Amino acid sequence: MKNIRYILISSIIIFMLTVLVHFVYDFLNLDIIAIFFPTNESIFQHMKMIFTSFFIFYLILYFMKRRFSYNNIFLTNLISVAICIIFFLVIYLPIRFRFGEIMIFTFILLFISIMLGQALTCSFLKKDNYRSLNILSLTIIAIIFIILGYLTFNPIHNDMFWDSEHETYEKVTK
């Protein structure tokens, strides 16, 4: 029962974080935060938004880990977000390229993807502390943010990076 409660509450928090994270760059419009927050409406930028939302959630969890007796926070973060993004893209991309953007479907699929990632990894939080795997996971997360930052400023010209709303591959400055 505790796992179901954790999965539901954490999924709701991460989902709400994605909504908030979506608009951070629009409000602040600073190049340094473009590394972490979406700068346009491309699929790539939305996957960056999901990655950042998970990281923020697990960073908060890290500072509260003693209260909940959690271990392996960064390992859980990395695996959970990978599951979420892969599951989301496998279902979302064929539907989007065939039918276009269906916003309600996208939100429902995102929430289900978050829940799946949380459900499949929540048991890691109560396992013995895998210190070396957590350090490796945190290192991989940092490398991913570096790659996300690089790709934000040097986007690849393909469908994943195309912002159809603004008709550009580049970050949108307001």
Side-chain angles (χ1 to χ4, degrees), residues 10 25 37 55 162:
S10 65
Y25 183 77
F37 302 102
F55 182 72
W162 178 249

Side-chain angles (χ1 to χ4, degrees), residues 3 12-13 26 29 37 49 61-62 66 78 85 87 99 101 103 109 126 128 136 140 144 163:
N3 279 352
I12 291 169
I13 292 169
D26 291 343
N29 199 10
F37 302 102
M49 173 186 72
L61 206 60
Y62 176 78
R66 287 200 174 114
L78 188 60
I85 288 173
F87 180 79
F99 301 106
E101 178 71 36
M103 197 62 68
L109 179 60
K126 291 291 187 174
D128 292 336
L136 177 63
I140 292 170
I144 290 171
D163 175 0

Side-chain angles (χ1 to χ4, degrees), residues 55 58 64 70 76-77 82 101-102 105 109 133 153 162 165:
F55 182 72
Y58 280 100
M64 299 174 66
Y70 287 154
T76 306
N77 176 184
E101 178 71 36
I102 305 167
F105 170 76
L109 179 60
L133 285 176
F153 295 100
W162 178 249
E165 183 178 316

Side-chain angles (χ1 to χ4, degrees), residues 6-154:
Y6 167 81
I7 293 164
L8 186 59
I9 291 171
S10 65
S11 297
I12 291 169
I13 292 169
I14 293 169
F15 184 81
M16 290 180 354
L17 280 170
T18 60
V19 173
L20 293 173
V21 163
H22 186 277
F23 299 104
V24 170
Y25 183 77
D26 291 343
F27 290 127
L28 300 177
N29 199 10
L30 300 169
D31 281 348
I32 189 69
I33 66 166
I35 296 167
F36 306 101
F37 302 102
T39 61
N40 68 29
E41 294 297 320
S42 69
I43 296 168
F44 165 77
Q45 292 293 332
H46 282 85
M47 296 308 101
K48 180 171 69 171
M49 173 186 72
I50 293 169
F51 190 82
T52 298
S53 298
F54 269 82
F55 182 72
I56 291 169
F57 172 78
Y58 280 100
L59 191 61
I60 292 167
L61 206 60
Y62 176 78
F63 290 112
M64 299 174 66
K65 70 180 180 181
R66 287 200 174 114
R67 179 174 182 205
F68 296 109
S69 300
Y70 287 154
N71 295 313
N72 309 310
I73 290 173
F74 296 113
L75 174 64
T76 306
N77 176 184
L78 188 60
I79 296 170
S80 185
V81 74
I83 290 168
C84 174
I85 288 173
I86 291 168
F87 180 79
F88 181 86
L89 289 176
V90 164
I91 295 172
Y92 174 78
L93 289 177
I95 292 172
R96 178 164 189 250
F97 290 134
R98 176 75 173 111
F99 301 106
E101 178 71 36
I102 305 167
M103 197 62 68
I104 189 70
F105 170 76
T106 303
F107 286 135
I108 292 168
L109 179 60
L110 175 59
F111 188 74
I112 291 169
S113 300
I114 293 168
M115 284 186 66
L116 180 66
Q118 294 299 91
L120 293 177
T121 59
C122 69
S123 63
F124 291 142
L125 291 171
K126 291 291 187 174
K127 291 192 182 281
D128 292 336
N129 191 355
Y130 303 129
R131 182 172 163 76
S132 58
L133 285 176
N134 280 295
I135 292 169
L136 177 63
S137 297
L138 189 55
T139 304
I140 292 170
I141 290 168
I143 291 168
I144 290 171
F145 273 123
I146 291 167
I147 293 168
L148 292 174
Y150 176 80
L151 291 173
T152 294
F153 295 100
N154 303 289

